[in-house]
Amino acid sequence: DVKVTQSSRYLVKRTGEKVFLECVQDMDHENMFWYRQDPGLGLRLIYFSYDVKMKEKGDIPEGYSVSREKKERFSLILESASTNQTSMYLCASRMLRGSQPQHFGDGTRLSIL
Amino acid sequence: DQQVKQNSPSLSVQEGRISILNCDYTNSMFDYFLWYKKYPAEGPTFLISISSIKDKNEDGRFTVFLNKSAKHLSLHIVPSQPGDSAVYFCAARDVYGGATNKLIFGTGTLLAVQP
């Protein structure tokens, strides 16, 4: 079974802080993704990566950056946290080839005060 | 512009009856469609998928139907069980997405199965 692990289930930070969300997968997947989920808006893609050190902007990248130094780890960075970044953050991974589903972690509920 | 739409935010069904969740899309280049189920405070779990070359895929109590001419996708759950109560997301992949394997998600439908 694929295991996608997000480092924190719940996180509370203050406005202006730099916030790091970590995600690790154990299946040697090339693709990794960061989403946020908000009520009524579904899952929106922030950033994704299809290889080490490769990253591409998703649909809502503003205020975020990412890092992929190792294949198994994909980090999401909030450069200067703001209250509108309070959300559920979900990490996912999948194989590069074929029609395979993305596998998700359990999410990080982030509150910015 | 929402390329994948789930127009029903919620659905309530009696235990044992059929649940039908609907999804519409606008991009004819989508080649692969998926349904995910999400419980509160957990990540989405993959449920079932269908390729655009098929019109039906079945897995136990779950069946997904694809009507390409109508750009419509539906998930049938028969019989519905209280444990099926969750938010259901449909998602689609663009055939020209290449190595990115991006998925476009709908906004979700909250299914409540009443005992």
Side-chain angles (χ1 to χ4, degrees):
Chain A
D1 260 7
V2 177
K3 184 72 175 172
V4 179
T5 303
Q6 294 184 230
S7 53
S8 305
R9 294 297 301 272
Y10 301 94
L11 210 51
V12 180
K13 295 291 182 181
R14 298 219 170 264
T15 304
E17 279 193 71
K18 191 168 186 175
V19 181
F20 294 85
L21 302 183
E22 306 288 345
C23 175
V24 177
Q25 49 94 3
D26 67 353
M27 285 302 290
D28 205 35
H29 285 168
E30 293 87 356
N31 286 132
M32 295 189 76
F33 307 84
W34 274 106
Y35 296 88
R36 61 179 283 177
Q37 183 203 355
D38 300 288
L41 297 177
L43 276 69
R44 293 182 293 166
L45 183 63
I46 304 171
Y47 265 96
F48 60 100
S49 168
Y50 51 89
D51 202 350
V52 176
K53 296 194 185 294
M54 303 297 288
K55 59 187 178 186
E56 286 202 26
K57 294 179 180 179
D59 300 317
I60 51 164
E62 296 78 18
Y64 303 94
S65 63
V66 290
S67 171
R68 186 132 183 236
E69 296 297 317
K70 293 184 178 180
K71 192 174 186 180
E72 67 271 20
R73 186 180 296 270
F74 193 36
S75 303
L76 179 70
I77 304 154
L78 284 67
E79 297 291 343
S80 177
S82 64
T83 54
N84 63 10
Q85 292 178 309
T86 291
S87 186
M88 168 71 95
Y89 288 88
L90 294 159
C91 174
S93 74
R94 61 151 281 165
M95 288 169 46
L96 184 66
R97 305 278 175 222
S99 293
Q100 300 291 331
Q102 292 181 14
H103 299 271
F104 283 84
D106 281 337
T108 297
R109 173 69 66 185
L110 175 64
S111 297
I112 306 297
L113 305 179
Chain B
D1 185 29
Q2 194 83 25
Q3 295 188 69
V4 177
K5 298 179 185 176
Q6 293 177 257
N7 292 318
S8 299
S10 63
L11 177 67
S12 183
V13 170
Q14 286 294 118
E15 181 178 5
R17 308 294 288 267
I18 184 171
S19 295
I20 300 176
L21 296 101
N22 293 303
C23 182
D24 296 297
Y25 62 95
T26 57
N27 188 343
S28 58
M29 292 296 107
F30 288 152
D31 69 334
Y32 180 56
F33 302 87
L34 307 90
W35 284 95
Y36 282 86
K37 172 181 175 179
K38 186 180 183 301
Y39 293 118
E42 291 185 15
T45 302
F46 168 70
L47 202 53
I48 193 169
S49 63
I50 188 167
S51 163
S52 61
I53 62 173
K54 295 186 173 181
D55 54 19
K56 177 182 174 182
N57 188 26
E58 199 169 349
D59 183 2
R61 295 186 298 114
F62 303 92
T63 303
V64 56
F65 294 92
L66 176 62
N67 182 334
K68 287 185 289 295
S69 60
K71 295 192 178 66
H72 180 80
L73 191 69
S74 63
L75 174 69
H76 293 211
I77 306 173
V78 184
S80 301
Q81 299 173 355
D84 296 329
S85 298
V87 177
Y88 289 79
F89 292 99
C90 71
R93 185 185 72 177
D94 189 331
V95 67
Y96 290 114
T100 68
N101 285 308
K102 281 174 57 177
L103 293 178
I104 311 298
F105 282 84
T107 52
T109 296
L110 174 63
L111 174 65
V113 180
Q114 310 296 335

